[in-house]
Structures are given as structure tokens and as C-alpha cells.
């Protein structure tokens, strides 16, 4: 079995809401990530999908400790990042890098491309000026750009080229893990394919591990080995891409997959339309967080939090319909 390079245990992030009156303390909080657990194995690509606002990007920032968790653990090679001090976290970020969604906002317009790619090397004191310059030229070549691009500025590049520059920055420190937070959603479809293929080639070349966040299920299917489906701050289903796409178990996963456009006009496909809006993360529903929109919700779904359990040796799913044995559940926590 592959080695787990990242292990997330009961991860939570609650953002307090300021009270309307300055002298009154508010007890409310936005539960952006609310008890998430999963593993990422070395060399794989784990896709994380879900509606906007479900907590995908917040979870990415928690893994890299750009924001600190309210509760839970983030284990990287067995070490809990949440317990580390500022200096230790800064050092650990050499091994966990990020590629953000917006290639335009990710680059300082006042700096040349060479300086931008060299910046991580300078921050972490890697090599002298000559070595850093050589590394910049090497990275430009790796991502499909030319050496003369080092003297140009971000406004001179297209969106796809800027994202290649961001990928080069992420590779500068030879990381083990790269978190891709919707890296192609702001790009044209033709450019998306080029960037996705580049990421796949770099993974083979440098033995990278990816956490790939996206709302585009076709892109996720193409690049990911396993897929985790998030809803309202929780993971409701996780498994390899064949299991998820061919036999989805959770009603929310089925609804997401039904929204993928038909590949052929002759394809027969039923669209599952969910009623109502996503509940507020400030006051999520009791029991299963999806029960208010689920067409097959039972009474127990309103009271008991379903556990994320493996079903028939395949994917894990948090659903009372799929895993009906509730004898070990407690109505408040979900577990005795």
C-alpha cells in the first residue's frame, strides 16, 4: 500500500462573526471546514470537488497552514503542522507549495518573471545569485517558456503563460506536494488542456503529489486518481475516480455528476435537480448536512450525523441510505 504523505484528522476551521455591538461578544461562527478527515498518498493526485462555498479552498489553506485550524491535525510525513511554530511552518512550506486560481492576481506586476521565480529561493536562502539565475532558466524551460521571458513582466503574458509561471514558482524549491486550487478555471478551454497536460508531465518527472481542487468534474476525472466530494464543510464521499464516476453512492455526488454535459446527443442521461439553496455554514442543519435538499432523506438523516464509512470494500461514503447500520451512532456527535 502506498505511503500517506499527508493525513488530515478531524480538521475544523470556524471563523467567528463579529457582534453588531462593539461591547457584545458574538458566539456565532462560519463553519467553513467542519470535521474533515482524509489521506493523500505519495505520488497520487487527490481531487476535491463540491459547490462554491463548500470549504475546498479553506481546507487547502489549512493544509499549508496559511490559516490555523480551530481544531484537528494536519500530519505531513508524520509531523503535525498545526503544532509547529512560525519558523518550523515556514520551513515546511518548502515541501508543500500552492498554485492559486487567478494567474493574474498571483504575480506582482512590479517584478520581472525572473525575480518572481527566484523569490522563493531568496526567501529560503537557497543558493547564491548565480545558482538562483540558473535555476530560474531551468524552470522556465521545464514549464515550456523561453529564457528571454525572464526579463519580461506579468502584463506581457497570456493567462496560460502566467499560470505556467506560477507553476515554475511552485517547483522552485523541489516540493513533495503541490496544492492546485482551481488552477485552470480562469483559462480558456484550449489552454486548460495544455496546463493540465503540463501538470501530469511534471508529476511523472518530479514524482509530485497533487491535491487538485476544482468544480469542473471533467477536468478532475482526467487528472485525478482519487476524488473527495465536499458539501458544507464535510467530505461526503471519497474513492478512486472509476468508483465515483461509474457508481456514485451519495445523493449529492449523483446530483453533481448528473450536471456534467452529455458527451453525445444520443446519450441518455437524467438530470437530478436539487431543491432549495445550500444551508448557511453559520447555522448548518442537524444530522446529515444534506438532508434538507436530499430527495431520499429519512427521519434519521435529520437527527444523526452519518459517519464516513467504506461501503462493500469500495469508496467511503457518509450516508444513512448506503450504510444503514446506526447502532454505533450517537445523535449529537455521530459516534459513541
Amino acid at each position: 500500500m502506498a505511503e500517506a504523505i499527508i493525513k488530515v484528522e478531524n480538521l475544523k476551521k470556524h471563523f467567528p462573526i463579529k457582534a453588531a455591538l462593539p461591547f457584545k461578544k458574538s458566539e456565532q461562527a462560519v463553519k467553513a471546514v467542519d470535521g474533515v478527515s482524509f489521506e493523500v498518498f505519495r505520488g497520487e493526485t487527490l481531487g476535491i470537488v463540491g459547490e462554491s462555498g463548500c470549504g475546498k479552498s479553506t481546507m487547502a489553506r489549512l493544509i499549508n497552514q496559511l490559516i490555523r485550524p480551530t481544531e484537528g491535525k494536519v500530519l505531513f510525513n508524520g509531523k503535525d503542522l498545526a503544532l509547529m511554530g512560525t519558523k518550523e511552518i515556514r520551513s515546511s512550506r518548502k515541501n508543500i507549495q500552492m498554485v492559486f486560481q487567478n494567474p493574474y492576481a498571483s504575480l506582482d506586476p512590479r517584478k520581472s518573471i525572473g525575480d518572481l521565480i527566484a523569490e522563493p529561493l531568496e526567501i529560503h536562502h537557497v543558493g547564491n545569485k548565480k545558482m538562483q539565475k540558473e535555476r530560474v532558466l531551468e524552470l522556465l524551460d521545464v514549464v515550456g517558456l523561453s529564457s528571454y521571458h525572464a526579463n519580461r513582466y506579468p502584463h506581457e503574458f497570456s493567462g496560460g503563460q502566467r499560470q505556467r509561471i506560477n507553476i515554475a514558482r511552485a517547483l522552485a524549491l523541489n516540493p513533495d506536494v503541490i496544492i492546485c486550487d482551481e488552477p485552470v478555471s480562469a483559462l480558456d478551454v484550449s489552454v486548460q488542456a495544455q496546463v493540465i497536460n503540463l501538470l501530469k508531465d511534471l508529476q511523472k518527472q518530479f514524482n509530485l503529489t497533487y491535491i487538485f481542487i476544482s468544480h469542473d468534474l471533467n477536468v478532475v476525472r482526467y487528472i485525478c486518481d482519487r476524488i473527495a466530494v465536499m458539501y458544507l464543510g464535510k467530505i461526503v464521499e471519497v474513492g478512486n475516480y472509476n468508483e465515483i464516476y461509474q457508481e456514485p453512492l451519495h445523493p449529492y455526488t449523483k446530483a453533481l455528476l448528473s450536471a456534467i454535459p452529455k458527451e453525445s446527443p444520443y446519450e441518455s442521461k437524467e438530470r437530478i435537480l436539487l431543491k432549495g439553496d445550500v444551508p448557511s455554514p453559520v447555522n448548518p442543519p442537524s444530522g446529515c448536512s444534506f438532508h434538507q435538499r436530499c430527495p431520499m432523506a429519512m427521519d434519521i438523516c435529520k437527527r444523526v450525523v452519518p459517519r464516513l464509512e467504506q461501503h462493500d470494500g469500495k469508496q467511503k461514503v457518509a450516508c444513512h441510505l448506503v450504510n444503514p447500520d446506526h447502532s454505533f451512532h450517537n445523535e449529537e456527535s455521530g459516534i459513541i
Side-chain angles (χ1 to χ4, degrees), residues 31-52:
K31 298 176 181 178
V33 176
D34 196 24
V36 167
S37 299
F38 62 89
E39 293 179 329
V40 185
F41 300 106
R42 189 177 295 275
E44 78 163 347
T45 300
L46 174 69
I48 300 174
V49 301
E51 292 173 281
S52 296

Side-chain angles (χ1 to χ4, degrees), residues 203-230:
Q203 185 174 36
K204 293 177 183 177
Q205 185 176 348
F206 299 107
N207 191 30
L208 296 169
T209 302
Y210 289 145
I211 297 175
F212 193 92
I213 296 168
S214 180
H215 61 268
D216 189 329
L217 294 169
N218 281 324
V219 170
V220 169
R221 184 177 189 176
Y222 179 68
I223 193 172
C224 296
D225 302 302
R226 289 191 304 130
I227 298 167
V229 182
M230 282 193 74

Side-chain angles (χ1 to χ4, degrees), residues 90 126 131 134 202 231 252 254 258 263 277 281 293 305:
R90 188 174 180 180
V126 177
M131 294 172 63
E134 291 173 353
L202 293 174
Y231 182 80
Y252 178 64
K254 293 178 182 179
S258 76
E263 296 181 2
D277 298 322
R293 304 175 74 195
V305 180

Side-chain angles (χ1 to χ4, degrees), residues 234 303-307 328-336:
K234 299 178 184 292
R303 299 180 289 105
V304 181
V305 180
R307 292 185 297 183
F328 298 102
H329 283 71
N330 172 275
E331 292 200 1
E332 292 187 3
S333 66
I335 302 173
I336 290 180

Side-chain angles (χ1 to χ4, degrees), residues 68 84-94 124:
R68 291 299 193 120
M84 289 184 178
T86 304
K87 289 184 178 180
E88 291 177 298
I89 288 175
R90 188 174 180 180
S91 178
S92 73
R93 289 202 185 112
K94 290 190 292 185
H124 291 277

Side-chain angles (χ1 to χ4, degrees), residues 10 13 51 54 102 130 135 142 147 180 183 217 229 240 272 282 313 332:
N10 193 35
K13 182 59 182 179
E51 292 173 281
C54 71
N102 191 340
K130 181 181 178 181
R135 178 64 172 159
V142 164
S147 58
C180 302
L217 294 169
V229 182
N240 70 50
I272 300 173
V282 177
E332 292 187 3

